[in-house]
Amino acid sequence: WGVLGGGWGGGGGGGGGRGAARPGPVFFGGGPPTLLPGELWVELLGAMRGVGVFDRAHEVTVEANPETVDGRLMRVLAEGGVNRVSIGAQTFDEGMLGALERWHRPASVGAAVGAVRGAGIENVNLDLIFAIPGQTMGMLEADLDALMGLEPEHVSCYGLTYEAGTALTKRVELGRVTPVGEGLEAEMYGRVIERLAGEGYEHYEVSSWARAGRRCAHNVGYWESCDWLGFGPSAASHVGGVRWKNVAHLGKYVGSVGGAPTTDHERLGAARRVGERLMLRLRVLEGVQRGWLEGNLGGGDGRWAEIERMCAVGLLEWVGGRLRLTERGLFVADSVLAELL
């Protein structure tokens, strides 16, 4: 789990003097954390409250797979201070769930949402994946119908990516699975944008949509290059331009004395830090203020030429003193942002 800092090392990864810690949003992710029994949640949340972690945490999110959600656990979480739950629906088509190697039943997503709301937690995110091998536009439309029927406050919707070393990627490499073509994937993304806009959701980041006032504060902190502290095996942290991870081995993590053993330490150079901030801030559809760019990119920085080129070909645009992705740029956002890193 992680705590996003509103004032760790200058609040925004800016370095400088280390002021008093002011924890912001708290996010429990991975595992999923809802595999943890209720009695351990009571102990964990109580301990965190006792040391002041929740004093300023206006958003406390727990990730959940649908089959791990029940009413009793959700009541424990709500009573402990959790006010947002993110559920990995992924798709409502049983065949597509099998292709993704997700083994919950589509009906369990609605049951999970009901359990969350029944416990008094009113802020629900649903994750949806599109461009699954074998998926058609009609199947995507059915997924969107099912998603809207559950009325989530927030939607995270991603095109399927093929991570190295996974079973699905191996099947692609062996020719047993054929990825969705780029043209169909773009058409699907366009339909997601159109449908969610029609349902009244704000498209505020490349893969994120929210009802009014329901943007994910935790993720917004990442895109604004804030600092965060991660707790638990494999959890990552970022403070003052320095990144590291806790070791993945549970036994080594639990058995450590004097602090968690860490690995993958990285201190970003000035140019890299600016590039990452630019890349992350451009993911948010509001874009980046010209003043920030002028203050952080020197006159000889080659990224100015790249920005001009992308504006000329219609991937970026200046609107109201901000640089942002165009509608066309959204469809190739990863490629655009990589060029500015």
Side-chain angles (χ1 to χ4, degrees):
W1 60 279
V3 178
L4 191 68
W8 308 95
R18 186 72 58 84
R22 295 183 287 113
V26 178
F27 194 97
F28 296 89
T34 42
L35 288 172
L36 196 67
E39 55 270 22
L40 292 182
W41 272 109
V42 171
E43 185 176 345
L44 174 60
L45 294 172
M48 292 173 65
R49 184 177 298 102
V51 296
V53 171
F54 291 167
D55 289 353
R56 299 171 56 91
H58 60 283
E59 179 184 282
V60 181
T61 300
V62 171
E63 282 190 332
N65 288 353
E67 70 275 19
T68 66
V69 174
D70 62 56
R72 178 181 175 275
L73 177 58
M74 291 302 106
R75 288 190 293 273
V76 168
L77 295 182
E79 291 168 3
V82 174
N83 56 17
R84 185 176 185 272
V85 174
S86 179
I87 299 172
Q90 317 309 0
T91 173
F92 295 86
D93 183 286
E94 195 152 4
M96 294 295 96
L97 283 171
L100 293 172
E101 298 184 330
R102 305 295 176 96
W103 308 118
H104 66 265
R105 303 293 295 272
S108 67
V109 179
V113 172
V116 172
R117 298 204 189 284
I121 299 174
E122 299 179 351
N123 194 356
V124 176
N125 170 71
L126 291 179
D127 284 351
L128 193 73
I129 294 176
F130 62 90
I132 304 166
Q135 189 179 39
T136 65
M137 285 297 296
M139 295 163 74
L140 173 63
E141 201 69 54
D143 271 356
L144 292 170
D145 287 341
L147 185 83
M148 292 300 97
L150 296 174
E151 300 182 332
E153 284 68 39
H154 191 281
V155 176
S156 300
C157 193
Y158 310 89
L160 178 64
T161 57
Y162 296 86
E163 301 291 343
T166 63
L168 180 58
T169 299
K170 186 66 174 179
R171 292 203 301 274
V172 170
E173 293 168 350
L174 293 173
R176 298 173 184 170
V177 170
T178 302
V180 167
E182 290 183 3
L184 179 55
E185 181 172 355
E187 186 180 355
M188 288 179 166
Y189 182 47
R191 181 53 185 153
V192 170
I193 293 172
E194 179 183 47
R195 179 67 186 275
L196 291 180
E199 298 284 351
Y201 288 85
E202 174 199 18
H203 188 190
Y204 71 98
E205 186 269 342
V206 172
S207 302
S208 304
W209 289 258
R211 295 291 191 193
R214 295 295 196 178
R215 292 187 180 191
C216 177
H218 178 82
N219 286 347
V220 168
Y222 284 146
W223 301 322
E224 293 180 350
S225 301
C226 290
D227 292 337
W228 69 88
L229 291 176
F231 299 86
S234 295
S237 298
H238 170 266
V239 177
V242 179
R243 289 195 292 240
W244 69 91
K245 288 177 63 178
N246 295 338
V247 295
H249 193 281
L250 179 60
K252 292 180 179 178
Y253 181 84
V254 173
S256 63
V257 177
T262 60
T263 185
D264 296 343
H265 296 84
E266 182 182 15
R267 180 179 293 277
L268 301 180
R272 178 76 178 191
R273 289 178 68 179
V274 169
E276 288 202 358
R277 290 188 193 181
L278 175 57
M279 178 186 70
L280 290 168
R281 292 182 182 193
L282 276 174
R283 288 193 63 88
V284 180
L285 270 63
E286 293 165 352
V288 184
Q289 290 182 332
R290 182 184 290 271
W292 185 91
L293 286 166
E294 292 175 344
N296 287 277
L297 297 184
D301 195 308
R303 281 171 286 206
W304 281 117
E306 192 61 31
I307 288 170
E308 291 178 6
R309 184 187 71 81
M310 290 186 180
C311 286
V313 299
L315 298 176
L316 293 172
E317 62 183 353
W318 291 99
V319 177
R322 286 179 173 270
L323 180 69
R324 71 181 190 184
L325 290 165
T326 63
E327 183 175 345
R328 181 180 162 215
L330 280 173
F331 287 81
V332 288
D334 287 347
S335 297
V336 172
L337 301 180
E339 294 296 324
L340 299 174
L341 184 57

